[in-house]
Amino acid sequence: MVTMKILIVHRVLMTDTECTDAILISYSVKTSNQVKTELYLQTAGPEGQIILTDTEDASKADKQTITDYGLHESEKRADMPAAVFAPLMGTSITALKEMSANIPNSNGWVTRYYLLTSNSLGGCPRITEIGLKCSSENEPTIYNVLLGQIMVIDAAQLKDSMTQVTDLTCQDITWSPPIISPNQFEGLVSICITVKWKYAGDASHYDIFVKGVTRSPNENIELSVYEPVFVGRSHSNQFRICHLLVPQKTEKHTLEVMVLPTNKAGFQAPLSSVSTVKVNYS
């Protein structure tokens, strides 16, 4: 067994976070080689300090209890003297990646997720401190640790991510020739649309997509009319699409507008399940 040496403990923040049922915790980190990082939670309960380790056991990936939130509960390491929990893996992390656009796993960044119930927290509903422990087998003289976003959220927001917008409408539609180089875009026409909707949840923002265009509005490249294209982001319940180039058809054609909400926790439903509205024209 390799003994890891604690290099330093970084207190990241003092908090007074109340946990009623289950919490989803995540953090992103980028480290130099051979440096191990573990997030710790200081609680006011009998468990005291809870360690969220970076050690994974793939053989136990989908063997933990599945919670009401569709994810496995984080494994409590039985071989550790303290309350130590392993990150989510397997189908749970796959599901989280499908729901989140904010999981950086490139350029050395790694994001780890943990789902803890109130029992995992020793029945204590309050976290008082969050920090980071760094350790290494061979203590280096210099090491780098970049700590990204830390999230401690109510796991119920996982269910909220499936809530879609309602009463989606297209208003104030106007048509015109392409405003730039009309000859270059022969066979295309420019459309402007105001999109409005309602949303029962608490959204961080809304991403707007369209289908039915043959040229990207952001890059001068050709597209399939069946390909969803991102056209903008809104922080309110309406968005104005301006001068979108669509095929000028003599027969019936359809432009499909989609609105994808992202909740405060950064989660969203699959694009295939979002609310849509169609504009038929000829």
Side-chain angles (χ1 to χ4, degrees):
M1 180 177 178
V2 176
T3 301
M4 303 298 287
K5 301 176 182 178
I6 294 294
L7 298 177
I8 193 167
V9 176
H10 302 272
R11 177 188 290 172
V12 178
L13 59 91
M14 302 295 291
T15 183
D16 189 24
T17 303
E18 185 174 0
C19 310
T20 55
D21 183 18
I23 56 173
L24 183 69
I25 304 166
S26 73
Y27 74 100
S28 299
V29 67
K30 181 178 181 180
T31 68
S32 53
N33 292 336
Q34 299 180 337
V35 175
K36 177 184 176 70
T37 59
E38 296 177 320
L39 204 70
Y40 74 82
L41 310 176
Q42 190 67 45
T43 73
E47 289 284 7
Q49 194 173 96
I50 293 174
I51 306 297
L52 305 180
T53 183
D54 64 353
T55 304
E56 302 175 345
D57 186 349
S59 66
K60 299 180 180 179
D62 295 323
K63 295 182 179 179
Q64 300 303 117
T65 302
I66 297 180
T67 65
D68 293 337
Y69 309 101
L71 302 178
H72 294 83
E73 186 177 346
S74 287
E75 174 207 358
K76 186 173 183 180
R77 297 289 300 276
D79 57 338
M80 299 290 185
V84 178
F85 293 87
L88 295 177
M89 297 179 293
T91 56
S92 290
I93 195 65
T94 299
L96 284 168
K97 286 182 177 181
E98 290 176 350
M99 288 188 290
S100 177
N102 302 316
I103 299 185
N105 273 322
S106 60
N107 298 322
W109 284 94
V110 176
T111 300
R112 302 185 180 101
Y113 281 85
Y114 307 81
L115 184 62
L116 305 181
T117 64
S118 56
N119 290 333
S120 303
L121 297 170
C124 176
R126 206 166 291 279
I127 298 172
T128 59
E129 180 183 324
I130 299 175
L132 190 71
K133 291 185 176 183
C134 301
S135 57
S136 176
E137 179 183 353
N138 299 311
E139 186 169 351
T141 55
I142 298 176
Y143 71 98
N144 295 315
V145 175
L146 299 178
L147 183 61
Q149 184 183 54
I150 299 174
M151 290 200 308
V152 180
I153 62 173
D154 186 344
Q157 294 199 42
L158 292 167
K159 293 181 177 180
D160 292 343
S161 68
M162 301 308 293
T163 303
Q164 297 300 332
V165 304
T166 59
D167 299 334
L168 182 59
T169 61
C170 290
Q171 304 175 14
D172 303 323
I173 300 175
T174 61
W175 302 86
S176 66
I179 60 174
I180 300 176
S181 304
N183 295 334
Q184 181 182 352
F185 300 108
E186 187 177 354
L188 299 177
V189 64
S190 174
I191 184 174
C192 298
I193 307 172
T194 297
V195 188
K196 295 184 178 181
W197 61 88
K198 295 180 181 179
Y199 186 64
D202 190 10
S204 167
H205 60 266
Y206 306 88
D207 288 337
I208 318 301
F209 296 83
V210 296
K211 279 184 186 179
V213 298
T214 56
R215 188 168 294 275
S216 169
N218 305 311
E219 301 176 35
N220 190 21
I221 57 175
E222 293 186 355
L223 301 170
S224 164
V225 292
Y226 303 104
E227 184 176 350
V229 179
F230 175 76
V231 294
R233 174 169 292 179
S234 174
H235 294 273
S236 67
N237 288 34
Q238 61 180 352
F239 183 81
R240 181 69 173 170
I241 300 175
C242 295
H243 300 293
L244 183 69
L245 296 178
V246 299
Q248 186 175 15
K249 299 277 187 175
T250 55
E251 58 189 38
K252 187 175 180 181
H253 187 70
T254 298
L255 178 70
E256 188 173 358
V257 181
M258 297 167 282
V259 178
L260 176 63
T262 298
N263 68 15
K264 292 292 187 181
F267 295 112
Q268 54 190 209
L271 185 59
S272 59
S273 66
V274 301
S275 299
T276 65
V277 61
K278 294 180 179 181
V279 178
N280 296 318
Y281 67 95
S282 59

